[in-house]
Amino acid sequence: MAEEVEVDQEVYDELIAAGKSERIARAKAKAAAMRKKKAAAGEQMGPREASAPQAPAPKAKAAAGADAAEGGAVATKSRSGDGNGAGNGALTPQERQARVAAALQQKGGGGGPQPGRSTKLGGQDHTHRLLAMVPPTGIQQIRGKQDDKVYTWPHLITAEFVCLMAVTAVTTVFSALVNAPLGDLANANLTPDPSKAPWYFMGLQEMLRYLHPMVAGVTLPTVFLVGLMAFPFMDKNPSVRPENRKTAYTIFTFFLVFWAVLTMAGSFFRGPGFNWVWPWVDGLWFTL
Amino acid sequence: MSKIPSPTDVKKRVQDNVIWRSVFRPGSIYRKGYRDTSRDRALAAMNNVLYHLHPVKVKRHGLKLTYTYCLGGTSFFLFILLTVTGIFLMFFYRPTAGAGSEFAFQDMQNLDQTIQFGALVRNMHRWAAHLMVLTTFLHMARVFYHGAYKPPREFNWVVGVILLLLTLLLAFTGYLLPWDQLALWAVAVGTSMMGYTPVFGQQVQFVLLGGVEIGPETLLRWYVLHVLLLPFVLTIFLAVHFWRIRKDGGISGPL
């Protein structure tokens, strides 16, 4: 309904004088004007009595006519009414109980469409009215457990920044103190003894000592890599708890230790001719 | 006498113009200002390019240092550090070898002796490379022990293994570039095994070395692999890796 909305000038001026913003003052003044209008039409605005829903319904309808606000449910209307008086909107348990009791009484008292059913269900055929008494937590269904989360900024970003600074500092300081090796010019006719691969391939070179190059250099690395990639598809155990994953832990740890031992053996315990040496006796043949 | 503008005026003038507003998005804290509220914390994440990497909120347990040990992040950061130091080194390095034109080795000597910060940057590049291999490897072990490869993260584990392999290849190709005895013979040992690939071992070795044995062609070939092809491929897989972390529900766990 596109009618001119009146503004209660007195309330408006008062609020402006009290330092409220123009927007808030206007809204409150509008509401005040509407209250006055409705009061003049004889509509009840204050907190209702427990028995209220029975009586004023026809009267209000007649007075407000096509007023859209009047279409609201009983609960909505009286709640906004309460907002005028005591604390905001929410009904006290006593009020709510009284409301439900009144509603049930009204239905059970003969106003209902099927009086016969009310005896069958003990006067509680309109069970949805009871929702007013159910606490919200009883209605919401919480499926998954809520994650305990924190804001990326500042928590994660700060941690990452500290980590970044630490890595930069460690790398810079270490680089200032320790020089990278640089040997003589490459010479294809002068084979150093021993010739060693970079440390991350020392495991392979060590295996080369015991196995045919095709097995140690091609087959086994391929099997390792494919096995590593296929692991998640072979491990059907859904648990992530260490105590439930003893087999997986054992297999992985075995390969990890196996690989570490091979790498260390090749790096530190192999000397001239790629023969076994004790680094504390014969010295170290290892360059990073 | 003109009045000296107050800091507030200056700030307003700097921020209240078309250029500033074009740089910072409407919700940006650089436009709206920042107060330490939940809303501004969320906006700080949302109006930042890092929003591609991080969601607004993350699981609290993932922040514990003893959960991730920061290994994946450190590997990524080392990759960036290696890119930066690597670009510096590229200004002074020519991948050329052979009698009369041993530029690669000469450039290494120049880097170590005459170029300002040359030795430091070269050291950083080498040590960071070793460290990256180590952190990537440890990251994989950490992910395994936390069962973080389990559904729905199986594919990201596979991407991770590929990234580990690419990291090893990057380190290995870089190992040849100084063109000293250490480099030549370490690579000779590594590549001799490739010749044993069943059926087309000789062909594999020939393609990788650019000849029947390691020579100037190998140096150029591995240089291009090291500075262009492998970083390019690694970056693509890295993007997929990070994207899948978020799509698969962020960090795994808690245990």
Side-chain angles (χ1 to χ4, degrees):
Chain A
M1 190 181 271
E3 70 180 320
E4 269 297 294
V5 188
E6 295 132 86
V7 174
D8 192 322
Q9 198 57 41
E10 205 177 304
V11 173
Y12 181 79
D13 293 341
E14 221 170 82
L15 286 164
I16 290 290
K20 294 276 189 245
S21 82
E22 199 265 349
R23 195 168 57 85
I24 287 168
R26 178 173 292 279
K28 288 202 167 175
K30 244 189 237 176
M34 187 59 76
R35 270 201 297 277
K36 260 188 200 164
K37 198 174 140 195
K38 286 198 175 170
E43 199 176 327
Q44 192 173 354
M45 294 296 293
R48 277 163 194 272
E49 308 299 328
S51 59
Q54 293 167 350
K59 192 174 133 204
K61 269 217 173 92
D67 194 337
E70 202 49 35
V74 175
T76 317
K77 194 179 152 213
S78 46
R79 195 178 295 138
S80 64
D82 288 348
N84 275 338
N88 259 336
L91 296 167
T92 65
Q94 291 85 354
E95 280 176 319
R96 191 181 289 130
Q97 260 172 11
R99 181 100 53 81
V100 173
L104 289 174
Q105 203 180 13
Q106 185 193 10
K107 287 297 165 196
Q114 283 177 305
R117 277 182 65 198
S118 61
T119 46
K120 216 193 278 175
L121 295 167
Q124 297 189 11
D125 50 342
H126 283 256
T127 46
H128 63 274
R129 294 251 179 208
L130 289 172
L131 280 176
M133 296 204 294
V134 178
T137 47
I139 299 167
Q140 280 173 354
Q141 289 191 0
I142 299 164
R143 291 229 173 85
K145 224 171 47 182
Q146 194 98 33
D147 279 330
D148 185 14
K149 287 189 166 184
V150 293
Y151 281 100
T152 299
W153 169 260
H155 300 285
L156 179 61
I157 302 290
T158 313
E160 282 177 340
F161 185 73
V162 170
C163 177
L164 184 155
M165 285 291 120
V167 172
T168 313
V170 167
T171 317
T172 312
V173 170
F174 190 78
S175 301
L177 299 175
V178 186
N179 277 328
L182 186 67
D184 297 328
L185 175 65
N187 184 349
N189 301 315
L190 193 70
T191 313
D193 189 23
S195 302
K196 286 191 175 185
W199 65 270
Y200 35 83
F201 289 147
M202 272 325 289
L204 287 180
Q205 203 181 345
E206 180 67 20
M207 280 202 298
L208 212 55
R209 185 81 183 163
Y210 312 106
L211 300 165
H212 186 270
M214 198 182 90
V215 180
V218 182
T219 317
L220 280 180
T222 312
V223 169
F224 279 154
L225 268 179
V226 172
L228 211 52
M229 289 198 211
F231 205 93
F233 304 98
M234 299 190 294
D235 180 8
K236 296 290 184 194
N237 176 5
S239 175
V240 294
R241 301 187 67 85
E243 59 266 33
N244 301 334
R245 301 179 57 215
K246 294 201 171 100
T247 317
Y249 267 46
T250 310
I251 295 172
F252 190 81
T253 310
F254 171 77
F255 278 106
L256 205 68
V257 172
F258 175 69
W259 197 249
V261 166
L262 279 184
T263 305
M264 299 237 216
S267 301
F268 305 129
F269 294 88
R270 290 291 178 183
F274 213 67
N275 291 315
W276 192 267
V277 294
W278 299 106
W280 52 88
V281 178
D282 311 293
L284 200 60
W285 280 268
F286 177 70
T287 328
L288 264 177
Chain B
M1 202 176 85
S2 64
K3 206 182 120 212
I4 298 162
S6 72
T8 320
D9 283 341
V10 173
K11 193 181 162 205
K12 193 170 155 42
R13 233 178 276 175
V14 167
Q15 297 195 344
D16 193 16
N17 63 60
V18 69
I19 293 168
W20 191 271
R21 284 199 299 269
S22 76
V23 174
F24 298 105
R25 299 193 69 249
S28 169
I29 55 169
Y30 302 107
R31 262 168 81 163
K32 300 265 191 189
Y34 181 79
R35 285 172 304 138
D36 199 12
T37 60
S38 293
R39 186 174 179 276
D40 278 8
R41 286 176 172 201
L43 285 173
M46 277 189 274
N47 292 287
N48 192 298
V49 70
L50 287 178
Y51 197 37
H52 279 291
L53 205 58
H54 290 315
V56 168
K57 287 182 129 186
V58 288
K59 291 179 202 161
R60 188 190 296 275
H61 80 92
L63 287 175
K64 263 169 66 184
L65 188 65
T66 48
Y67 188 74
T68 62
Y69 295 98
C70 220
L71 287 167
T74 302
S75 306
F76 174 53
F77 179 65
L78 284 170
F79 177 63
I80 293 172
L81 192 70
L82 284 161
T83 309
V84 174
T85 51
I87 290 171
F88 177 89
L89 295 175
M90 278 177 78
F91 283 118
F92 307 104
Y93 177 82
R94 287 162 291 178
T96 313
S101 56
E102 295 286 3
F103 295 133
F105 186 71
Q106 282 171 24
D107 291 343
M108 294 308 290
Q109 286 177 320
N110 280 339
L111 268 167
D112 275 357
Q113 287 155 20
T114 57
I115 291 160
Q116 193 74 265
F117 298 119
L120 179 73
V121 176
R122 181 170 102 80
N123 292 348
M124 283 176 77
H125 195 76
R126 191 169 183 108
W127 302 136
H130 284 312
L131 196 58
M132 185 178 162
V133 173
L134 191 68
T135 54
T136 312
F137 191 76
L138 292 176
H139 173 59
M140 186 192 72
R142 194 285 291 174
V143 166
F144 180 87
Y145 284 118
H146 284 162
Y149 59 85
K150 303 205 170 196
R153 300 186 173 83
E154 313 99 304
F155 179 67
N156 219 12
W157 167 268
V158 175
V159 174
V161 174
I162 294 171
L163 284 170
L164 175 66
L165 184 65
L166 286 166
T167 307
L168 288 175
L169 289 176
L170 266 166
F172 193 48
T173 49
Y175 211 86
L176 181 69
L177 302 185
W179 202 245
D180 57 352
Q181 279 289 72
L182 190 65
L184 178 72
W185 290 99
V187 170
V189 169
T191 52
S192 67
M193 283 182 261
M194 294 170 191
Y196 290 97
T197 310
V199 189
F200 26 66
Q202 297 303 312
Q203 285 82 346
V204 168
Q205 206 179 14
F206 191 88
V207 168
L208 278 168
L209 297 185
V212 288
E213 60 177 18
I214 300 173
E217 297 80 14
T218 318
L219 182 60
L220 179 61
R221 193 159 291 204
W222 284 39
Y223 175 73
V224 175
L225 287 176
H226 184 75
V227 302
L228 276 177
L229 191 117
L230 290 172
F232 174 67
V233 176
L234 186 112
T235 306
I236 290 171
F237 277 98
L238 214 50
V240 175
H241 200 58
F242 292 158
W243 171 72
R244 278 303 292 253
I245 292 171
R246 281 189 70 173
K247 285 291 168 187
D248 295 340
I251 189 145
S252 64
L255 291 182

